[in-house]
Amino acid sequence: MTMIERRPTRQVRIGDVRVGGDAPVVVQSMCDTDTKDVEATVAWYKRVLGMESEIFGEYRHTALKFGRQKFNVRPSGAADWWSVKNDAPGAVKQSAGYGRSTYEETDFHQLEEDRWAHAAAEEVNRRALANDFEALAIVAPPKTLGEIRKKLHKEAERRIVLTVNKEMTDRPIPDIEELLVGEAAPPA
């Protein structure tokens, strides 16, 4: 794989996404096909996002697979697309027992938040093992904090002096500093 040398830039935040500096490269794309054309739309997802596809059911519908998740592709405007009897959304036939099992709908926002939490934990681990800091305070929503903690190295965990289960996205730095001072202060 060819490494491309990045020129030094100043890091900025756009919402909760870091851009520039040593932040990982971020790519955002929007499907540019006519969504009534299932074949073209599926080809776009396969090409751009590396998804796999699967044809299913008696009516030969298409599903896209993303890891262990699967979601069905329905042409926009196709109200009568499903045959309720045979092809309920996300349903699969069972080899034993009664009824059908359904897949949960993929929450891509949550998948991206979890991916970010794991990347943040990797960065904290790298810096803890490099002895870049002695103490660490983490402020994050409860679910994100849980995802980060699952991936922390013991050396990184040892350096945590404070965790705050709180959403602080888009808050000014003084608000976050005030929160940290208030949380870290001993009880009166």
Side-chain angles (χ1 to χ4, degrees):
M1 173 183 263
T2 304
M3 292 296 290
I4 298 173
E5 188 174 323
R6 294 173 67 174
R7 57 189 174 112
T9 58
R10 186 174 59 107
Q11 190 174 98
V12 297
R13 293 182 81 74
I14 301 172
D16 61 350
V17 178
R18 296 179 305 132
V19 179
D22 64 349
V25 175
V26 178
V27 177
Q28 182 175 355
S29 185
M30 181 178 275
C31 184
D32 60 358
T33 65
D34 178 351
T35 55
K36 290 179 184 173
D37 184 345
V38 171
E39 280 185 32
T41 301
V42 167
W44 183 90
Y45 276 97
K46 290 170 76 172
R47 182 180 71 253
V48 175
L49 300 178
M51 297 178 111
E52 297 176 21
S53 65
E54 177 180 300
I55 305 297
F56 69 96
E58 133 184 19
Y59 296 99
R60 314 286 301 149
H61 295 311
T62 303
L64 284 167
K65 296 192 296 186
F66 186 76
R68 294 182 350 188
Q69 298 291 319
K70 187 186 328 185
F71 64 95
N72 301 323
V73 181
R74 176 180 68 85
S76 62
D80 61 347
W81 184 69
W82 293 112
S83 161
V84 176
K85 177 181 169 194
N86 296 309
D87 292 332
V92 293
K93 292 183 180 173
Q94 296 292 307
S95 59
Y98 297 99
R100 300 165 75 100
S101 170
T102 59
Y103 288 97
E104 283 187 31
E105 202 169 308
T106 303
D107 183 345
F108 289 104
H109 180 75
Q110 188 60 54
L111 285 174
E112 182 58 23
E113 281 189 13
D114 292 349
R115 186 205 62 77
W116 181 90
H118 295 167
E122 287 175 16
E123 181 66 13
V124 168
N125 290 338
R126 183 184 71 75
R127 290 189 174 193
L129 294 171
N131 217 15
D132 285 350
F133 63 90
E134 294 178 22
L136 175 66
I138 302 175
V139 179
K143 182 151 180 51
T144 303
L145 186 58
E147 288 298 317
I148 290 172
R149 288 200 91 130
K150 280 195 277 187
K151 298 291 184 178
L152 287 179
H153 186 276
K154 287 181 184 184
E155 184 59 31
E157 283 181 353
R158 187 182 68 74
R159 295 169 188 235
I160 294 175
V161 295
L162 176 69
T163 58
V164 180
N165 292 324
K166 190 161 185 150
E167 174 66 59
M168 294 297 283
T169 304
D170 298 326
R171 299 297 302 265
I173 298 291
D175 286 3
I176 297 170
E177 289 172 341
E178 185 179 318
L179 172 76
L180 292 174
V181 169
E183 291 285 332

